[in-house]
Amino acid sequence: MIILDYRDRRPIYEQIVERFQELMMSGAMEENSQLPSVRSLAMDLSINPNTIQRAYAELERQGYIYSVKGKGSFVADNSHIKDSKREAVFKKQEEVALEAWTLRADRERLHQIIDQIFSRGGESDD
């Protein structure tokens, strides 16, 4: 579920936040599903529980999760976050398309790139 990259310059808690965000946005973690306890995730990842607590606090601050006293942390309704992120992607796409047009890039090649990414399920060639 969560894989840490110790060569990554970002703090571990940021990697955890990012990975949980990806899981929630992709639908791998459904609304109202419970996150692992701080203690169990810390043991699984062999890191300090304070790091997990910090990641969970950040996810809650951003609206990705909510906490229930004595029960744990749960995935919040993230539909508004998904909608916002989709709109941001469309805005970026518009900017890229305009830049491509300005450079007289091949329209068919742009369509081909998008089609390839969607047919591979979002996996990059890298």
Side-chain angles (χ1 to χ4, degrees):
M1 181 185 268
I2 304 288
I3 298 173
L4 301 174
D5 180 359
Y6 293 101
R7 293 174 293 168
D8 192 327
R9 292 180 180 251
R10 293 176 302 151
I12 292 174
Y13 87 93
E14 285 183 10
Q15 293 181 48
I16 294 167
V17 167
E18 182 179 273
R19 186 64 183 133
F20 272 122
Q21 288 171 337
E22 291 169 358
L23 292 168
M24 290 175 211
M25 291 297 102
S26 71
M29 292 184 79
E30 297 179 359
E31 182 180 344
N32 297 317
S33 62
Q34 189 169 8
L35 276 69
S37 72
V38 169
R39 188 174 297 146
S40 69
L41 187 55
M43 286 178 57
D44 290 347
L45 298 175
S46 299
I47 60 176
N48 189 310
N50 292 334
T51 303
I52 304 299
Q53 188 62 45
R54 185 170 180 187
Y56 281 14
E58 181 62 21
L59 287 165
E60 189 165 5
R61 188 190 68 74
Q62 292 178 10
Y64 283 90
I65 66 173
Y66 63 93
S67 297
V68 177
K69 190 111 175 141
K71 300 283 186 190
S73 297
F74 299 84
V75 177
D77 173 11
N78 293 309
S79 58
H80 62 286
I81 297 172
K82 281 184 185 178
D83 292 343
S84 176
K85 285 185 176 277
R86 278 190 202 107
E87 286 305 313
V89 166
F90 292 139
K91 181 68 177 157
K92 284 182 198 174
Q93 183 62 37
E94 186 178 325
E95 292 167 4
V96 168
L98 183 57
E99 184 177 358
W101 178 83
T102 301
L103 296 171
R104 305 296 186 247
D106 181 38
R107 180 181 185 166
E108 291 305 313
R109 179 71 181 123
L110 290 172
H111 286 272
Q112 183 182 28
I113 291 167
I114 292 170
D115 289 342
Q116 285 174 353
I117 290 170
F118 274 80
S119 69
R120 288 191 308 258
E123 293 180 18
S124 175
D125 274 344
D126 298 341

